[in-house]
Amino acid sequence: MPTALADLLILDFSRVLAGPYATMVLADMGARVIKIEQPGTGDETRRWGPPFADNGLSAYFIAVNRNKQSITLNLKHPTGQAIARELASRADVLIENFLPGTMARMGLGYNDLRPLNPRLIYCSITGYGQYGPDANRPGYDTVIQAEGGLMSITGEPDGPPMKTGVAVADITTGLYAATSILAALHYRTHSGEGQYIDLALFDVQLSWLANVASAYLVSGKPPRRYGNAHATIVPYQPFAATDGYIMVAVGNERQFTRFCQALNRPEWATDERFATNPARVTNREQIITAIAEVMAGESVAYWIERLRAAQVPCGPVNDIPTALNSRQAQARGMIRSIDGIRMVGPAPVFSATPATIRSAPPALGADTAAVLAELGYSADQIRHFYDQGIV
């Protein structure tokens, strides 16, 4: 079957997580992605382990680098820079995540490449953007979570600030990059022009504070940590059962009435302290304590059966192995295998142009000779490039 982006060539100068995640999303949709890495070392996540797969690749690198080709290119060497420009002249998209000005110093900035390829879409991912007082600082996910306010609202109310279990600022920046590139490609279809995309982890972090940021901007009151509870919806948190935890998400009064019936406490639904969500938020401690006492007396399976029968949103708090091996994950084909490597598959399901896994993450420089040959370099020239440390 066809893929949606099969006609696109993407040059990926990025490393670690945000940029590689973006290019993997686009590669899953069919784009050809050439990952450009430093000779001898490559993307540093190749060595971020254990665990390592049998082929020596780290689990971290495997997570975001499938469906790509890898070439090595010494961007500090004039010939390496010339090869990069030649590739860029043929590409649809270029992604990089160096500090501002780094690519320009190598003759590979947007203003350098635009005359060679006016249709090029050039996406720069940095910690703080191309301008502003912090522009020249390197960006690290956990620092962005701290400075962008996320850690201040994550964790138990009386505990220390807490980061999330996944590098969520990097991942969401990767998703922003992918969607921004697709928007720029759409614009190019009728304008014929490429453009420059300046994407900052810090900006992205602020953008998806969503209702929490909005609450502050409306009220002027700094948001605080609620642990696993919700600031403005009650009950909306996990509760302990006899053998684990169950997440309950009661989003409206009809659900709360059914929830009370399932707990054999129908009187709560008409109690003026709890009958409406604003009342429950005001009397949070009382209702949560009462719910916790009831739910602690039965198993997770017992409550799952009763609450789902009552059409109350809920689910067990699973560990990662349970989630990945769940019947829903299996039914959706979320765990894929290629060349003996298991990985989480693409999330979108297209009816006509499916997202696919066509190749495993590449060994460092595995495609260097083939790509250079496509550019017209002879076998002797390619050997010379290897001998001189250019590739």
Side-chain angles (χ1 to χ4, degrees):
M1 297 181 71
T3 54
L5 305 179
D7 58 336
L8 296 181
L9 173 60
I10 298 175
L11 300 185
D12 184 2
F13 288 82
S14 71
R15 62 214 186 279
V16 187
L17 189 52
Y21 190 81
T23 54
M24 183 183 72
V25 168
L26 298 171
D28 287 349
M29 296 179 187
R32 180 186 181 189
V33 174
I34 299 177
K35 185 176 179 71
I36 298 172
E37 303 185 70
Q38 179 69 20
T41 55
D43 190 322
E44 50 262 55
T45 62
R46 288 181 177 276
R47 300 174 296 283
W48 283 10
F52 294 95
D54 291 342
N55 63 2
L57 292 178
S58 73
Y60 198 115
F61 183 83
I62 288 169
V64 292
N65 285 290
R66 63 175 174 246
N67 288 336
K68 301 178 186 180
Q69 296 176 289
S70 170
I71 71 168
T72 52
L73 206 55
N74 183 354
L75 297 178
K76 296 180 180 179
H77 194 286
T79 302
Q81 296 167 4
I83 293 171
R85 282 191 288 273
E86 190 170 357
L87 285 167
S89 70
R90 305 182 180 201
D92 296 284
V93 178
L94 184 152
I95 297 184
E96 59 92 11
N97 66 346
F98 293 102
L99 284 173
T102 302
M103 290 286 277
R105 286 192 292 273
M106 298 184 291
L108 298 171
Y110 177 64
N111 290 332
D112 300 303
L113 300 180
R114 189 172 185 274
L116 302 177
N117 183 358
R119 292 173 56 82
L120 180 67
I121 293 159
Y122 192 117
C123 179
S124 294
I125 299 175
T126 58
Y128 302 92
Q130 298 297 307
Y131 55 88
D134 292 328
N136 290 318
R137 292 176 55 200
Y140 291 90
D141 178 274
T142 51
V143 177
I144 297 296
Q145 289 192 40
E147 293 184 338
L150 181 62
M151 287 177 64
S152 75
I153 58 169
T154 307
E156 291 301 319
D158 298 323
M162 188 71 63
K163 73 176 185 68
T164 62
V166 171
V168 67
D170 274 333
I171 292 296
T172 51
T173 300
L175 290 171
Y176 262 83
T179 55
S180 299
I181 287 166
L182 292 174
L185 286 165
H186 179 72
Y187 174 75
R188 194 183 73 174
T189 60
H190 59 82
S191 71
E193 297 179 1
Q195 61 181 297
Y196 182 73
I197 301 169
D198 171 8
L199 200 55
L201 272 69
F202 183 76
D203 297 352
V204 171
Q205 173 65 82
L206 294 182
S207 75
W208 61 261
L209 288 174
N211 59 295
V212 176
S214 183
Y216 164 69
L217 294 172
V218 168
S219 70
K221 297 179 180 179
R224 63 181 182 87
R225 291 191 296 279
Y226 284 88
N228 288 316
H230 197 287
T232 56
I233 308 174
V234 174
Y236 207 95
Q237 65 185 73
F239 292 93
T242 57
D243 58 350
Y245 288 84
I246 178 171
M247 183 69 196
V248 174
V250 175
N252 57 55
E253 311 311 349
R254 296 186 303 277
Q255 290 176 355
F256 184 67
T257 297
R258 296 196 298 268
F259 177 68
C260 295
Q261 293 169 347
L263 267 60
N264 294 318
R265 298 295 190 276
E267 66 275 11
W268 290 348
T270 56
D271 189 318
E272 64 179 13
R273 298 171 299 169
F274 314 134
T276 67
N277 185 70
R280 292 192 296 276
V281 171
T282 300
N283 298 289
R284 177 191 301 269
E285 186 174 346
Q286 293 166 278
I287 188 62
I288 294 302
T289 298
I291 294 170
E293 288 177 355
V294 174
M295 298 194 72
E298 300 289 349
S299 68
V300 169
Y302 173 86
W303 289 121
I304 290 289
E305 182 179 2
R306 285 189 64 84
L307 294 180
R308 287 183 178 171
Q311 296 183 315
V312 175
C314 66
V317 178
N318 291 330
D319 59 16
I320 298 300
T322 302
L324 293 180
N325 291 293
S326 67
R327 64 181 187 178
Q328 184 65 16
Q330 292 177 8
R332 299 286 292 179
M334 285 305 298
I335 306 304
R336 310 282 183 90
S337 181
I338 187 166
D339 295 346
I341 301 174
R342 298 177 72 218
M343 62 187 71
V344 178
V349 178
F350 294 86
S351 63
T353 55
T356 60
I357 298 178
R358 302 175 302 282
S359 61
L364 178 61
D367 305 286
T368 302
V371 170
L372 290 176
E374 285 182 43
L375 295 177
Y377 292 100
S378 69
D380 287 342
Q381 288 175 304
I382 294 171
R383 279 194 295 271
H384 173 74
F385 292 155
Y386 278 112
D387 292 342
Q388 295 299 309
I390 295 169
V391 299

